[in-house]
Amino acid sequence: MLSKNISAATKKCWGIEEASRNSAVREFESVKGHKIENGPVWRELELRAGLRVSAFEAMLAKRFSFSYQKKNSYIDFGFFLEGSIVNNMCETSLGPLRVDNVAGSGGLGYFREMAGVVESAALGRTRIIHLHISPELLHELLYMDMDVIHEDLRGALESRVGGEFFLHHTMDPVVQAAANELFYGLVGGKCSRIYLEGKALELIGLQVMKLENSERVRSSGLSLSELEQIRAIHEEVKEKFDCPPSMAELADSHMMSAGKIQAGFQELYGMTVFAFLKEYKLRKARMFFENGDMNVSEVAWALGYTNLSHFSAAFKKRYGVLPKKFLTSVRDKKNITLASGYADLG
């Protein structure tokens, strides 16, 4: 049973009702459908003063829902790793908000008080991890970069009137990889607190950087139509990463010169189209290794590499280790976590 397995991994682990009595970040009530095998569980750990991590996990055989309240000053970074749920934030200072969370989505929000209802949208496994950080600590960490961070986040850190906000977004592969590492580090109970804190700060930094890049676009020299075209090209390159169009094909289909496309990519994403595609593939590779069951050759082929040695060289240059060694390390960590849970079941 998942609940026993999880409980064995860390003492900071509760069922939803028990979590309501112990959590420092949420109050849960009106839980429905939770009294089932492998029901939802909640982990929570203070990493340092002003910084906490929480994780929600379930292997659901039937629907469930629960209502919750928040009455604290934490800024929340959310990373939805697996499954599908609907978060109806019924009471916020911005009015009612509905968020459809699926694997790969994330959120950043700041509400001093809020209430809502979470409902499962699909059966099977669900995994979510949150970071909760005080505005004071985040301000201390970001004070050198306050002039470039997202306006909504800056408003919260500067305690402006009406500084509450919520942003919903799609995670890129490097964020997903880091979020999964933190999740399994917390679940396995074998990682040091300094590792978990470092991984938490990495995730916050990655998310702030993503928002910073979005903010920088507002002051770019591109016209609105050109921005739309560059974003469309960006999405097309991501969608067709395994067999990407050539620069000539992009220029023809989007009616922009190759030079304009490259300049636009450099402005919005800080790199050329080719550099972005290469980085995106390598981030995808890491995500495949950490979340899937493919071997090195299968991952290389899925990414569109026709030469395995080229893939291995590119991966090592990006991550400092050959893909086969990286994959072995990832699977060893997962096996240790599973073995720890099975031992406690016995």
Side-chain angles (χ1 to χ4, degrees):
M1 289 175 59
L2 181 63
S3 56
K4 289 181 180 178
N5 192 350
I6 289 172
S7 296
T10 173
K11 295 179 181 178
K12 300 287 186 179
C13 175
W14 312 288
I16 291 297
E17 285 186 329
E18 188 181 3
S20 187
R21 298 189 295 271
N22 292 282
S23 173
V25 295
R26 294 290 187 272
E27 297 176 11
F28 302 104
E29 53 189 25
S30 301
V31 184
K32 298 178 181 179
H34 68 294
K35 294 181 179 179
I36 55 177
E37 183 175 346
N38 298 332
V41 294
W42 180 271
R43 293 180 186 79
E44 189 174 317
L45 184 65
E46 183 179 52
L47 299 176
R48 69 152 87 169
L51 177 62
R52 305 184 74 91
V53 58
S54 65
F56 174 92
E57 184 177 20
M59 184 69 77
L60 298 171
K62 67 178 184 179
R63 305 290 183 182
F64 83 98
S65 67
F66 59 83
S67 58
Y68 66 90
Q69 290 187 352
K70 173 192 173 180
K71 295 181 180 178
N72 59 65
S73 61
Y74 287 115
I75 295 172
D76 294 329
F77 291 76
F79 307 90
F80 201 94
L81 304 176
E82 194 170 356
S84 178
I85 64 170
V86 177
N87 184 3
N88 292 293
M89 294 184 278
C90 309
E91 300 176 23
T92 79
S93 60
L94 303 178
L97 300 171
R98 174 190 168 98
V99 181
D100 294 293
N101 285 306
V102 296
S105 63
L108 170 59
Y110 179 52
F111 296 107
R112 296 174 183 85
E113 292 190 15
M114 64 175 294
V117 177
V118 167
E119 301 173 305
S120 59
L123 302 181
R125 194 179 188 201
T126 298
R127 296 187 297 118
I128 313 167
I129 195 158
H130 278 85
L131 293 170
H132 316 270
I133 186 168
S134 70
E136 295 79 15
L137 177 56
L138 190 55
H139 187 280
E140 178 185 337
L141 294 170
L142 295 176
Y143 80 97
M144 293 290 289
D145 302 309
M146 289 294 288
D147 58 332
V148 296
I149 67 173
H150 193 279
E151 179 66 21
D152 289 338
L153 181 58
R154 185 162 63 247
L157 297 183
E158 293 177 347
S159 302
R160 298 178 193 170
V161 176
E164 300 187 348
F165 70 94
F166 180 78
L167 302 170
H168 194 236
H169 58 84
T170 300
M171 293 186 286
D172 70 19
V174 73
V175 176
Q176 285 183 278
N180 272 291
E181 287 174 355
L182 179 58
F183 182 91
Y184 286 116
L186 183 66
V187 170
K190 302 296 183 181
C191 296
S192 66
R193 190 179 295 263
I194 193 171
Y195 170 87
L196 297 175
E197 181 180 336
K199 189 58 62 176
L201 293 177
E202 176 189 355
L203 268 175
I204 290 173
L206 288 169
Q207 191 54 62
V208 169
M209 183 175 67
K210 179 182 177 70
L211 294 172
E212 176 188 332
N213 290 339
S214 299
E215 187 79 356
R216 187 174 62 221
V217 170
R218 299 181 186 181
S219 59
S220 74
L222 298 172
S223 68
L224 290 178
S225 62
E226 288 172 336
L227 285 174
E228 290 175 0
Q229 287 297 319
I230 296 299
R231 290 193 181 102
I233 293 170
H234 179 256
E235 292 304 310
E236 182 177 348
V237 170
K238 288 200 300 183
E239 182 180 346
K240 301 176 180 177
F241 66 88
D242 56 339
C243 188
S246 67
M247 282 301 302
E249 290 170 331
L250 289 173
D252 183 59
S253 61
H254 292 274
M255 293 181 291
M256 293 181 73
S257 69
K260 192 73 172 180
I261 293 173
Q262 294 288 24
F265 251 73
Q266 194 71 46
E267 180 73 26
L268 268 66
Y269 307 111
M271 61 185 77
T272 65
V273 176
F274 176 77
F276 168 79
L277 178 62
K278 183 177 180 181
E279 175 68 10
Y280 186 77
K281 283 186 174 185
L282 293 173
R283 291 178 179 182
K284 274 280 190 183
R286 180 170 173 172
M287 186 177 70
F288 285 149
F289 288 143
E290 293 179 329
N291 300 325
D293 56 6
M294 292 189 290
N295 61 35
V296 173
S297 296
E298 290 169 335
V299 168
W301 294 330
L303 295 173
Y305 282 91
T306 56
N307 188 308
L308 185 58
S309 63
H310 289 172
F311 168 65
S312 295
F315 190 92
K316 183 176 182 180
K317 184 176 180 180
R318 176 63 177 83
Y319 295 111
V321 63
L322 287 170
K324 184 175 182 180
K325 189 171 183 180
F326 181 86
L327 179 59
T328 299
S329 176
V330 167
R331 292 187 174 168
D332 284 347
K333 288 179 181 178
K334 288 184 179 180
N335 289 337
I336 290 172
T337 299
L338 290 173
S340 175
Y342 292 143
D344 286 294
L345 283 177

